Amino acid sequence: MPNNYRIKLAELKARLGNGAGIRSKQQLNAFAFFSANLTNFMPAIPYAEHDKLFRQATLNRQWNALDQQFFKREHPFQLNGWDEDLPVRLKEKPGIICTFHTGSYRLINYLLHRAAVPLAVLIGEQAQREQGAFIRQLVTDFRRVAGRRL
């Protein structure tokens, strides 16, 4: 499976990394929203950089969606940077984890569910529409495997 994943990822990077530009009204609207937010919240970023950053953000979003296709009971790849003590600490002293679009919240949910750490997910309306079913299925799968309510 990792080879199939790598092939799909290479295709995704080639498609989104080639600078093909905006091809639809939906992409234009998404870019306008993205660019307006950069201008408003990060005015030091020059407009000339917005397209590159938009393509990078789009790649990251679709990369995360690709990752989602490969989630089953076990994540098929080596994880770097995961602190195995974090679930223990969270069980002892609950906390809040905010990814702020810096990583795949699907992966953190997967890891926390795998470690039987109770959690709640706060996501936007669009993410709920697009990915809510996946998150609910992930919880269902872990409950079934764990044989208990998470």
Side-chain angles (χ1 to χ4, degrees):
M1 181 163 57
N3 285 334
N4 190 26
Y5 175 87
R6 287 186 180 97
I7 290 167
K8 289 185 178 290
L9 179 58
E11 291 170 354
L12 181 64
K13 286 180 175 181
R15 184 169 41 88
L16 293 174
N18 66 6
I22 295 170
R23 297 181 182 177
S24 71
K25 184 177 180 180
Q26 182 180 5
Q27 286 177 323
L28 178 61
N29 289 340
F31 173 76
F33 184 73
F34 181 87
S35 181
N37 277 308
L38 283 179
T39 300
N40 188 42
F41 295 110
M42 303 178 86
I45 297 176
Y47 177 76
E49 296 289 316
H50 289 195
D51 180 60
K52 180 182 85 171
L53 293 171
F54 177 72
R55 282 187 284 114
Q56 184 179 16
T58 301
L59 171 63
N60 288 342
R61 187 169 149 220
Q62 291 187 20
W63 191 341
N64 285 336
L66 176 65
D67 286 350
Q68 180 176 313
Q69 295 174 22
F70 286 83
F71 275 98
K72 299 295 176 204
R73 288 197 172 115
E74 288 298 322
H75 191 268
F77 306 102
Q78 177 182 344
L79 298 172
N80 295 318
W82 173 247
D83 180 356
E84 293 292 341
D85 293 330
L86 179 62
V88 174
R89 292 193 312 268
L90 287 171
K91 287 177 184 177
E92 293 171 356
K93 184 177 180 185
I96 297 172
I97 299 173
C98 299
T99 61
F100 293 112
H101 303 279
T102 60
S104 177
Y105 59 87
R106 295 170 194 89
L107 181 58
I108 192 79
N109 291 330
Y110 168 83
L111 293 168
L112 293 174
H113 276 299
R114 185 179 72 180
V117 175
L119 64 104
V121 179
L122 177 63
I123 57 176
E125 185 179 337
Q126 181 177 350
Q128 166 59 29
R129 281 192 310 270
E130 293 174 359
Q131 300 146 27
F134 165 75
I135 292 171
R136 287 188 296 278
Q137 186 61 52
L138 181 66
V139 171
T140 299
D141 289 348
F142 275 104
R143 285 179 179 163
R144 187 177 14 225
V145 171
R148 65 185 182 278
R149 183 179 170 121
L150 296 178

